[in-house]
Amino acid sequence: MHQKYIREIFKGGIHPADSCGFENEEYEKWQNAFTKLYREIQEMLPEDKRKRLEQLCDAHTAMQGEIVIDAFINGFKLGANLIAESLYSSDK
């Protein structure tokens, strides 16, 4: 059994997140809306409160990162279970 992909992931040669194709028209639309709103709110705030807005966005980004990691792990487990079931099921 070849373990080419497992080895490459271990050695850091494959980064699954790099193959995500989320940058499409829909994503760009929401990113532009977010950026516009962020700048509008930033301009409304006094200089000493702008850092808090940045901290809020950083916290939200970190939360989203954890959600993405969890979704990847769950998808990987599901894929592994599907492969195992198809290879080792007694229903062949």
Side-chain angles (χ1 to χ4, degrees):
M1 174 181 198
H2 296 291
Q3 298 174 354
K4 175 181 158 186
Y5 291 109
I6 296 170
R7 285 179 167 281
E8 281 303 306
I9 289 171
F10 177 79
K11 293 182 346 186
I14 296 176
H15 304 276
D18 291 347
S19 63
C20 293
F22 64 87
E23 292 188 14
N24 54 36
E25 286 182 29
E26 187 71 13
Y27 175 83
E28 190 173 322
K29 178 182 88 171
W30 289 111
Q31 183 182 26
N32 289 337
F34 174 84
T35 301
K36 182 181 177 202
L37 287 169
Y38 179 86
R39 288 183 179 149
E40 286 176 12
I41 293 169
Q42 188 180 40
E43 290 300 315
M44 288 185 237
L45 295 173
E47 191 70 36
D48 62 324
K49 302 290 184 193
R50 291 179 184 187
K51 184 71 175 167
R52 295 297 285 164
L53 176 62
E54 188 177 324
Q55 290 170 336
L56 172 68
C57 289
D58 289 346
H60 185 261
T61 299
M63 287 172 22
Q64 290 301 106
E66 290 301 314
I67 290 169
V68 169
I69 291 168
D70 192 53
F72 175 80
I73 291 168
N74 287 327
F76 191 91
K77 286 179 181 178
L78 177 61
N81 283 327
L82 289 169
I83 291 167
E85 185 176 293
S86 69
L87 292 175
Y88 303 110
S89 175
S90 61
D91 297 341
K92 291 182 182 179

